[in-house]
Amino acid sequence: MKNVPCLWHPSPSRSQNVYVLFQTALALEESDDWQLNVFGSSLYRVYVDGEEIAEGPARFSPEHPEYDVHTVSLTAGRRILSVIVHDYGVHTRILMGGIHPFLQCRATGKKGPIRLAWRCKELDAFEPIDRRVNGQLGWMESCDTRRLPDLRCAFDGEGWSEALEIEHPLGDAAYRPGTVGACLRLPVAAAEIAGGTYADRFGYVNDDPPVRFMSRDLQPQLPDDGVWARFDLGKIGLYRPCITIDVPQGTIVEAGYAESLTDGRVFPVIPLSASTSCHVDRWIAAGGPQRLLTFAPRGFRFIEVHVAAAPPDVNLLQAEGLQRTRYGESAGTFHCSDSRLNDIWRLGVDTLRACAEDALIDTPTRERGQWIGDAAVIGMEVLGVTFGDLELVHRGLQQASYRRRHDGLAAGLCPGQEAYLTTYALYWIDGCFRYARLTGDASLLEECYETAARTIDYFFAHMTPRGTLPSADTWDFIDWGHAVASGEINVSLNLTLLNTLGHMAAWEQARGLHDKGEKRREQHEKIGRIVAEHYRSADGLLAKSVRAEALSSPETREPGYHATVLGLLYGLFDEEAKPRAVAFIKAHMLSCFPNNPDAPRLVHPSANHERLITPSFSHFSLQALWEAGEADFVLEQYRTCWGWMLDQGVTTLLEVFDTRWSHCHAWSASPTWQLSRYALGLIPEAGEDPYRYRLRFQPGTLAYASGSVPLLAEKGMVHVEWKRTAPGAWEYELRTDRPIRVSLEGAHAISLMALDGKETAPNTLLEVQQRLVLKYTDVNGRSS
């Protein structure tokens, strides 16, 4: 694509929020399958004879852009190829601002490339209302559909210009074809749940659109100004709202969106945007039956449509959504004897689907940001047991390396409105290493090594005698509700660094960098000594923080929840201290909302308190408790805490245990991956063999469970089914599409085993070609 011309309008009327239509006519002598390579710096949609066939671009780092590749079957004759580009002209969570807008397009048939003569036109159908959706996303849309050109016709009307060829804004960027598949466009029906007439009570048509929308009286005592209808799409997702309507020409139609209803209504503002927000779009109808569709997608579940026409003039009003998502149905499955757990598992699947587009994103509504702590930690685990395709994770890890900071720190949020976080930089290293272990693909360990090494160097450049103390320009984030005072060493951060150093040593060992690996082991030992000397409390647990400059004694250190969780997960407690750590973690969790209804709530990001738990950090805490053999406690946490979400009527997972945050956030889906791994009992090993698993059977209070989990190194599935056959006795069956290796763990006796149709005695490591059957007996004769 480097040699494909970069095109733009020669004289657009503005530098922000402008829509430009590019068009060319193709005279095809015969039918052919054409390959279209398309790329640009801003949101674009591609049409052939007026039918939309593609969209783009995928988010990209300017140094490593990815162009879209589409195959289009075109019949002989005159074909009209159109591309509409919406240049935001601002930074968003998705695309970086500051890049001159442009479009590139190459068409290639079986006889080779064809010359494309482009003309362009600024679309004055889109009114440039100066309102962003919020400070993280693009613009409110206001479209006069009477002025939209017919894309089935070439160069229709006035205002056309020859497209201007500009110098390539990305210079010598390393182009490559797209590395992830195209997003699906899934039609989702909406159910009408309310409707009636309304009266306006505030301002002119462009006066603060969301306030005007919310101020309308939907049970008017004043004369009617229009008709309204409210629809429910069932689940939050990233949708292009589609409204089918039949109204007179010039009628104003507005749509407001929300994740949930407020006092029974749609309030079209986005909570926690850290900016003003405007979750409203507007159209002016062309008259007669018409389908209204936004150019950009919106994140919502509920849509409310206001039509500024008398009721007799509104002959039809329906709504649906075109969901933008990377995935359809989950390949992985899970089912057990507890229907509440089944519903919670499914919530995680639906939430991940809603948060998967050209990247794994935090929420489809507020940000659509690619945060490494969401994508490369919880997201990778959930994706691994559900859709079984880690391409979004792979590219996200690459982009975090491409966008590393000047001091070498890997990006925690990128590309666009980039952010750098202490733990997310370390999670990025862990994520690269985990990806290689899960898939057997070590390419990231080669490609991203320099960023990994420089990230580690950053933390040791800020090392004190009592641990690393990063600079103030790096967000030191562990969890919402976790705050460390200025001048304090964050113990949880240093424990994360300790864990990451172990991964980094193995990374370098795998690449044959033995001298580097030795250095990492020395660094690991140094942090280990700091942990032993400065972080332990009197009862052997781990403090939340310690002073950077003043010594303290164990008796003065209060144990911290997050640090103790990480210590338990990373194996920092001996057999004597481990039960105390488990008891402390369980007691803390039970003291917090929603376990304790009277406990403090995480009402906003600054509501720090010692008695808080979050769905996101439960990725670590509940995994640590699974590994400690606390299956019953963890299952009850799912039932209580995530069950509380179910009781609020949500159909995707809340961001935190409070309804005032986002109602769709994939970092809350740890029960989904943990049920698929731990409740089924088959857990990937941490070694270099992606087909090696630990079989750690923990039935807890469940009577049976079954499910399928994708193999990640190549296509295939592992199927597990187990059931209790008598008090203290279970039968466990495993079937696999390809050979795997299984090591047996746990506090159960195995009385009988069949391996690939033959009875055999238990071994440390089993080679399973197709089928493994185990009969478990509780060693203490207890009924679980």
Side-chain angles (χ1 to χ4, degrees):
M1 294 290 283
K2 284 186 176 180
N3 298 322
V4 177
C6 292
L7 307 175
W8 192 239
H9 193 284
S11 55
S13 63
R14 53 190 184 272
S15 60
Q16 293 182 341
N17 194 16
V18 62
Y19 295 76
V20 177
L21 167 62
F22 294 85
Q23 199 172 76
T24 187
L26 306 175
L28 305 181
E29 298 178 356
E30 57 183 322
S31 301
D32 194 2
D33 286 340
W34 287 78
Q35 178 177 295
L36 293 180
N37 295 349
V38 190
F39 183 62
S41 60
S42 301
L43 176 61
Y44 58 77
R45 300 193 178 278
V46 184
Y47 308 80
V48 173
D49 295 339
E51 180 182 351
E52 184 180 326
I53 62 165
E55 64 179 358
R59 65 194 73 200
F60 65 93
S61 169
E63 302 84 5
H64 298 270
E66 297 186 7
Y67 58 88
D68 298 310
V69 180
H70 308 284
T71 300
V72 185
S73 296
L74 299 179
T75 57
R78 182 177 170 83
R79 305 272 75 85
I80 306 301
L81 176 62
S82 306
V83 183
I84 297 177
V85 181
H86 180 199
D87 176 36
Y88 289 1
V90 293
H91 288 285
T92 69
R93 284 284 200 259
I94 305 163
L95 295 172
M96 299 177 65
I99 300 173
H100 193 291
F102 67 92
L103 170 70
Q104 292 177 284
C105 185
R106 177 172 59 196
T108 307
K110 61 186 176 183
K111 294 183 179 179
I114 186 173
R115 182 178 178 276
L116 302 176
W118 293 95
R119 293 175 66 80
C120 64
K121 177 181 182 179
E122 183 176 338
L123 294 181
D124 60 1
F126 291 92
E127 182 184 7
I129 295 178
D130 190 24
R131 286 302 300 269
R132 298 271 296 273
V133 174
N134 64 3
Q136 293 78 42
L137 298 172
W139 300 89
M140 169 190 174
E141 294 180 20
S142 180
C143 180
D144 186 341
T145 63
R146 298 171 297 182
R147 299 174 135 184
L148 287 174
D150 186 347
L151 299 185
R152 296 171 297 178
C153 305
F155 315 132
D156 185 25
E158 300 178 350
W160 290 93
S161 305
E162 295 291 334
L164 176 67
E165 183 173 344
I166 63 174
E167 185 177 350
H168 202 313
L170 302 184
D172 295 326
Y175 269 95
R176 62 183 177 183
T179 57
V180 301
C183 289
L184 304 175
R185 292 183 290 175
L186 303 179
V188 178
E192 184 173 346
I193 56 176
T197 60
Y198 71 81
D200 284 317
R201 294 191 294 192
F202 172 78
Y204 296 105
V205 68
N206 283 337
D207 282 356
D208 205 343
V211 172
R212 192 166 191 266
F213 190 97
M214 289 184 291
S215 298
R216 289 186 178 124
D217 185 354
L218 302 190
Q219 296 179 325
Q221 303 301 311
L222 297 169
D224 295 341
D225 288 307
V227 174
W228 67 274
R230 186 179 303 129
F231 301 89
D232 181 3
L233 276 78
K235 295 181 178 68
I236 296 169
L238 187 60
Y239 303 106
R240 290 175 72 191
C242 306
I243 301 166
T244 304
I245 198 164
D246 183 355
V247 293
Q249 184 186 72
T251 299
I252 295 176
V253 181
E254 288 187 334
Y257 320 106
E259 290 188 337
S260 61
L261 299 179
T262 302
D263 299 328
R265 292 188 57 172
V266 167
F267 273 37
V269 295
I270 303 176
L272 299 179
S273 287
S275 65
T276 58
S277 60
C278 180
H279 218 191
V280 178
D281 291 307
R282 179 189 302 145
W283 299 266
I284 298 177
Q290 186 177 5
R291 184 170 179 256
L292 305 175
L293 182 68
T294 59
F295 195 78
R298 307 296 188 214
F300 63 95
R301 171 180 170 180
F302 297 95
I303 177 173
E304 191 172 292
V305 181
H306 294 185
V307 183
D313 293 333
V314 182
N315 298 315
L316 179 67
L317 178 55
Q318 297 175 344
E320 64 173 347
L322 284 180
Q323 186 175 12
R324 173 180 164 86
T325 178
R326 181 66 188 89
Y327 302 112
E329 282 301 310
S330 169
T333 62
F334 178 82
H335 185 77
C336 72
S337 55
D338 188 328
S339 61
R340 198 163 175 86
L341 296 181
N342 296 334
D343 291 342
I344 290 166
W345 185 89
R346 188 70 203 182
L347 278 183
V349 175
D350 291 339
T351 305
L352 184 77
R353 181 189 293 109
C355 295
E357 45 168 328
D358 63 316
L360 282 182
I361 59 174
D362 56 343
T363 164
T365 303
R366 188 182 65 235
E367 295 191 47
R368 296 172 62 190
Q370 182 177 239
W371 293 84
I372 289 298
D374 300 37
V377 182
I378 302 168
M380 175 154 46
E381 299 302 328
V382 179
L383 197 55
V385 301
T386 55
F387 300 101
D389 178 356
L390 300 186
E391 64 179 15
L392 295 181
V393 173
H394 181 274
R395 189 171 67 182
L397 292 168
Q398 284 181 316
Q399 290 179 341
S401 178
Y402 298 154
R403 302 306 300 168
R404 70 187 182 211
R405 203 165 61 181
H406 62 88
D407 55 9
L409 199 67
L413 165 67
C414 72
Q417 296 186 339
E418 292 160 355
Y420 297 85
L421 293 76
T422 55
T423 49
Y424 282 25
L426 296 172
Y427 295 162
W428 172 80
I429 295 177
D430 299 339
C432 291
F433 189 73
R434 177 69 168 168
Y435 176 88
R437 290 298 190 247
L438 285 174
T439 65
D441 175 8
S443 61
L444 287 176
L445 304 188
E446 180 71 29
E447 177 184 353
C448 299
Y449 174 72
E450 182 182 353
T451 301
R454 292 187 62 188
T455 293
I456 294 293
D457 290 345
Y458 166 86
F459 288 98
F460 277 88
H462 295 85
M463 188 61 64
T464 77
R466 280 174 277 286
T468 190
L469 183 61
S471 53
D473 61 351
T474 307
W475 184 8
D476 191 21
F477 178 79
I478 297 293
D479 187 18
W480 294 119
H482 179 281
V484 172
S486 177
E488 294 264 324
I489 297 291
N490 187 339
V491 170
S492 293
L493 172 63
N494 281 269
L495 299 179
T496 304
L497 175 59
L498 179 70
N499 183 63
T500 301
L501 285 168
H503 292 156
M504 194 65 191
W507 180 335
E508 290 167 327
Q509 192 73 22
R511 293 193 62 230
L513 303 174
H514 303 296
D515 56 334
K516 300 288 187 181
E518 183 61 32
K519 176 183 177 182
R520 298 307 169 205
R521 282 187 287 273
E522 292 174 359
Q523 292 173 330
H524 187 276
E525 291 174 2
K526 177 178 181 178
I527 302 297
R529 289 192 298 271
I530 290 174
V531 171
E533 294 174 11
H534 300 290
Y535 296 168
R536 299 285 183 177
S537 61
D539 53 4
L541 303 184
L542 288 159
K544 176 181 179 179
S545 63
V546 297
R547 293 293 300 170
E549 298 178 354
L551 285 172
S552 62
S553 65
E555 289 73 23
T556 64
R557 301 174 196 147
E558 292 291 330
Y561 164 67
H562 297 85
T564 301
V565 162
L566 296 180
L568 180 63
L569 183 61
Y570 299 154
L572 301 183
F573 296 115
D574 59 25
E575 291 305 311
E576 180 183 354
K578 186 181 295 184
R580 292 198 298 272
V582 170
F584 173 78
I585 293 166
K586 291 165 62 175
H588 173 87
M589 297 185 76
L590 292 174
S591 75
C592 297
F593 186 87
N595 289 297
N596 182 341
D598 298 323
R601 298 276 287 266
L602 187 59
V603 298
H604 54 75
S606 298
N608 298 313
H609 198 280
E610 292 301 321
R611 285 177 61 195
L612 290 172
I613 55 173
T614 64
S616 58
F617 195 76
S618 296
H619 168 85
F620 302 102
S621 60
L622 297 182
Q623 182 186 9
L625 292 174
W626 271 114
E627 290 288 344
E630 294 288 336
D632 286 345
F633 181 85
V634 175
L635 293 175
E636 194 58 32
Q637 285 300 288
Y638 298 156
R639 296 182 186 106
T640 301
C641 299
W642 281 260
W644 173 84
M645 292 192 195
L646 282 174
D647 294 341
Q648 310 312 302
V650 302
T651 52
T652 50
L653 293 167
L654 301 175
E655 185 172 4
V656 301
F657 296 122
D658 192 277
T659 56
R660 287 164 283 195
W661 295 53
S662 170
H663 285 218
C664 185
H665 210 294
W667 76 355
S668 297
S670 55
T672 297
W673 79 262
Q674 290 170 5
L675 286 168
S676 287
R677 296 294 190 198
Y678 286 100
L680 295 182
L682 199 63
I683 307 159
E685 282 274 23
E688 295 185 19
D689 182 355
Y691 298 108
R692 181 162 175 169
Y693 294 82
R694 297 184 291 132
L695 205 168
R696 182 179 174 87
F697 182 53
Q698 298 185 77
T701 54
L702 299 178
Y704 65 84
S706 64
S708 299
V709 180
L711 292 165
L712 299 176
E714 62 182 73
K715 288 186 178 180
M717 303 290 289
V718 176
H719 312 273
V720 169
E721 183 173 358
W722 62 261
K723 61 183 178 180
R724 184 189 301 135
T725 56
W730 302 265
E731 184 172 296
Y732 185 102
E733 180 178 351
L734 179 156
R735 290 174 290 113
T736 177
D737 294 349
R738 71 164 320 281
I740 62 173
R741 286 160 285 282
V742 176
S743 58
L744 304 182
E745 297 182 359
H748 297 80
I750 303 172
S751 58
L752 175 69
M753 181 170 63
L755 179 61
D756 295 323
K758 298 180 181 180
E759 188 173 325
T760 183
N763 294 308
T764 303
L765 181 64
L766 304 174
E767 295 275 349
V768 184
Q769 300 293 318
Q770 293 180 321
R771 185 169 178 261
L772 172 67
V773 179
L774 305 173
K775 289 187 181 294
Y776 280 101
T777 304
D778 189 278
V779 292
N780 297 315
R782 293 180 289 104
S783 173
S784 292

